[in-house]
Amino acid sequence: MIRKISCIMAIMMVIAGLSGCSSKPASENKTADLGVSADNQLLAYFKTQHPDREPVKCAYDDITNDGGKDLIVIFDNEKGKKQMCAVIAKENEKHQLTEPIPAPAENQKIQFKDIDEKDELEFIVSGSKNGSVGYAIYRIVDNQIINLFGEGMEDCCD
Ligand SMILES: [Ca+2]
Ligand SMILES: [Ca+2]
């Protein structure tokens, strides 16, 4: 029970933190920092796999609980829609890309948070579209991005 309450509190704190940052104008996205250095190895790998997709926001941490940092990429797809995928770092073999899923159209933000304090590090993606704000918590399960919990994503995603 206590565990459940602390989990809910963690989510509430995250939501409070996110809502404070959602008022940035969309135009800042263009010039805003990607979230990782331009020479990030996994970002370079993503670009070799998808030269026609333009990354707009990234985050870099270990989301597969194997000690190696992975990359989350929100990008413009070939139709100009925002999508998101993860580049899962593999040692001694090819990195692996997850299936793309819809991502927020504007004001994208990626935050890492170990929501249940065990196993994989979860991550929270938030953003907006035409003033509608949404967010969701994700975890990598079997090399796919799984939506655990969220609100308003269908209104803020492309
Ligand atoms: Ca990893
Ligand atoms: Ca976890």
Side-chain angles (χ1 to χ4, degrees):
M1 189 60 195
I2 290 175
R3 194 170 175 82
K4 186 157 189 200
I5 289 171
S6 67
C7 179
I8 291 169
M9 277 182 65
I11 293 170
M12 297 287 282
M13 278 164 61
V14 166
I15 296 167
L18 293 175
S19 55
C21 304
S22 56
S23 54
K24 265 200 239 163
S27 58
E28 278 187 28
N29 271 340
K30 286 274 177 234
T31 50
D33 182 41
L34 260 186
V36 291
S37 61
D39 61 356
N40 181 290
Q41 229 191 335
L42 296 181
L43 181 60
Y45 182 77
F46 174 85
K47 286 177 176 171
T48 62
Q49 299 300 299
H50 297 294
D52 54 346
R53 296 177 184 179
E54 186 62 32
V56 294
K57 188 59 100 182
C58 299
Y60 186 50
D61 210 333
D62 179 18
I63 47 175
T64 56
N65 205 25
D66 61 1
K69 283 190 171 188
D70 313 291
L71 188 74
I72 301 163
V73 187
I74 295 177
F75 58 87
D76 264 325
N77 75 0
E78 56 283 359
K79 292 175 183 150
K81 302 273 188 200
K82 299 290 185 298
Q83 287 188 305
M84 165 171 71
C85 76
V87 185
I88 297 170
K90 301 278 182 189
E91 237 181 305
N92 306 322
E93 55 178 307
K94 271 192 183 171
H95 302 313
Q96 197 164 351
L97 271 85
T98 63
E99 280 295 314
I101 62 169
E106 302 161 358
N107 298 312
Q108 303 86 3
K109 193 174 169 200
I110 307 167
Q111 204 180 337
F112 295 103
K113 179 114 194 148
D114 193 359
I115 294 290
D116 55 357
E117 296 179 345
K118 65 183 172 79
D119 306 328
E120 284 83 5
L121 181 64
E122 285 76 28
F123 55 99
I124 302 145
V125 176
S126 66
S128 61
K129 182 182 183 180
N130 302 326
S132 297
V133 177
Y135 76 95
I137 300 167
Y138 299 93
R139 179 187 296 148
I140 299 293
V141 179
D142 295 334
N143 293 322
Q144 294 303 328
I145 300 176
I146 303 299
N147 181 333
L148 299 176
F149 180 84
E151 221 173 277
M153 280 305 260
E154 46 304 323
D155 297 324
C156 77
C157 286
D158 262 339

